[in-house]
Amino acid sequence: MKKFQLAMTTAACVLLMALQAAQAGMVAITKFTIPAQSDVRVSLTVTRPGYTNLTVASKTASTLTPVEATGNAFAPTTATKYYVRFITGNAAGLWSTITADNGTLTLESTDVLGAVANVQAGDTFRVYKHHTIGTLFPEDLKDISFRTGTQILLFNNAAVSQNKSASIVVTRGPTSWLGGGGNNQIIAPDTLFNIRNANANPLTVAYSGDAPTHPISYLVTAGQTKDNLIGTGYPVTRTAVQTKLGTAPGRQILLFNNAATGINKSSSAVLTYSGAAWLGASGNATPIPAGDGFIFRQNGGAGGVVTLTKPYAFID
C-alpha cells in the first residue's frame, strides 16, 4: 500500500507521534489550537490504522452480505464499533455504521444502501474501526489537548433542520468523559463536531492516523432544506469548488474562524452557489483548512451522491 507523510514539527505533534509510534501506517497529523473560553468547529481527516477489504455479494434494504466470510469480526461492542466505506460503484465514498455482524452486515443507514440504486453486487468496500473520544483524546494528552471541563458537542446530521443545536454533549470529568457514550462515544468520519474549551488557557489538539486514500462522498437528499454539518475528510486544505457541493443553485457553505475567540460563533464567511460558481469570500478559491468543519446548507433542489475531489493522485 503506497502512503505518504504529512509532517509537522510542533511539540504537540512530536508528542503525539511518540505516543502512537507503535501504530503501523500512521501517515497524517492534524493540529489546531483552541483559544481560551472558545469553540472550534472541526472534523476528522484520518482513519484508524488497519482496515479490511470486502466485496458485495448481495444486499437488502438494510444489510450487506460480503463474498468473503467475516466470522462475525465486526460485531459492535461497547468499546469498538465499525463502519463500512464504499470504494467502488454508485455509492463510492459513502459510509455507514455496522450495527450487527452475523456473517451478514446490518448497516445503520438504509439511505446509503438504497438511494439511487447505490450499492450493487460486485462493489467493493472497506471496514474501519470508528474513532471515539477515547481514541482521539488519549489520557496521555490530558492537560494538553483537553482538561477537566472540556466539552465535545456532536450534531445529528439526519435531522432535517437548520441552525441545529448539539444532539450529544460529552464533558470531561476529573477521570473520564461523561455524557453520551463517554470515552466510547463515536466521532463520525467526515462530520463536524465542536470542541469547547471553557478554561482560561488555550488547548493544543493534535491527532494522527492514516490519510484517507478512498473517495469521500456525501448523500444529498432531493428537495430537503437542511444543514449538513460536515468536513472535507482529507488532511489538506480544500477549496470551495473542490468540494463539488455546488450542484444546485442556492446551496451554501458556511465557514467558521477557528482562530477567533468566543462560544457559539457565527459564520465568518458564507458562500452561495449561483448555478455556475460559488459567490462570496474568495469564490471558488475560498480555502477550507484541513480539519475544519463547515455547514453545507441545502435549499431544496436536486439530490444524489456528491464526491469531493481527491487531493492526491496515488492509489493504494
Side-chain angles (χ1 to χ4, degrees):
M1 181 162 37
K2 296 181 181 178
K3 294 189 176 181
F4 73 113
Q5 181 77 29
L6 299 178
M8 296 183 182
T9 57
T10 66
C13 288
V14 170
L15 173 59
L16 191 61
M17 290 174 70
L19 293 173
Q20 299 187 348
Q23 295 184 0
M26 185 182 73
V27 295
I29 299 170
T30 294
K31 170 189 171 289
F32 48 89
T33 297
I34 310 176
Q37 299 189 353
S38 297
D39 287 345
V40 296
R41 292 182 181 251
V42 295
S43 61
L44 282 180
T45 58
V46 297
T47 65
R48 293 178 69 175
Y51 58 79
T52 302
N53 284 315
L54 298 170
T55 306
V56 177
S58 62
K59 70 160 192 173
T60 69
S62 60
T63 66
L64 278 179
T65 300
V67 171
E68 304 82 1
T70 65
N72 305 331
F74 308 120
T77 67
T78 299
T80 305
K81 295 180 174 62
Y82 301 86
Y83 66 97
V84 304
R85 172 82 70 171
F86 291 96
I87 306 302
T88 64
N90 293 333
L94 299 178
W95 68 272
S96 181
T97 297
I98 297 171
T99 58
D101 176 11
N102 57 2
T104 291
L105 307 178
T106 301
L107 301 190
E108 185 175 65
S109 173
T110 56
D111 289 338
V112 167
L113 283 174
V116 296
N118 277 344
V119 179
Q120 306 289 328
D123 291 351
T124 58
F125 64 97
R126 293 178 185 165
V127 178
Y128 290 92
K129 287 183 180 179
H130 266 301
H131 260 301
T132 65
I133 288 178
T135 61
L136 282 180
F137 298 91
E139 288 302 303
D140 310 72
L141 295 184
K142 191 172 187 292
D143 298 320
I144 300 172
S145 287
F146 62 93
R147 301 182 180 94
T148 298
T150 300
Q151 291 186 315
I152 309 297
L153 288 74
L154 306 173
F155 300 85
N156 180 8
N157 270 332
V160 183
S161 60
Q162 294 184 341
N163 299 315
K164 298 175 184 177
S165 299
S167 57
I168 296 174
V169 178
V170 185
T171 303
R172 176 65 193 199
T175 60
S176 64
W177 293 89
L178 307 173
N183 287 19
N184 297 318
Q185 175 63 52
I186 288 172
I187 302 292
D190 321 331
T191 301
L192 177 151
F193 61 101
N194 268 17
I195 309 176
R196 179 163 293 168
N197 175 20
N199 197 272
N201 298 305
L203 291 170
T204 298
V205 177
Y207 60 80
S208 69
D210 282 5
T213 58
H214 54 66
I216 292 174
S217 303
Y218 299 104
L219 184 60
V220 179
T221 305
Q224 287 188 348
T225 298
K226 64 178 287 191
D227 282 352
N228 302 276
L229 285 75
I230 57 178
T232 65
Y234 293 115
V236 295
T237 296
R238 305 274 72 205
T239 64
V241 72
Q242 288 170 330
T243 67
K244 300 296 184 183
L245 294 172
T247 55
R251 289 182 175 171
Q252 294 182 309
I253 294 175
L254 286 71
L255 303 175
F256 297 85
N257 181 3
N258 280 335
T261 58
I263 289 173
N264 295 320
K265 291 179 280 193
S266 299
S267 56
S268 58
V270 178
L271 308 176
T272 303
Y273 191 65
S274 68
W278 290 101
L279 306 179
S282 299
N284 283 348
T286 302
I288 303 175
D292 278 15
F294 61 94
I295 294 175
F296 167 53
R297 178 164 290 171
Q298 290 178 235
N299 290 296
V305 177
V306 179
T307 302
L308 276 66
T309 303
K310 190 187 290 187
Y312 25 78
F314 72 88
I315 33 182
D316 57 354

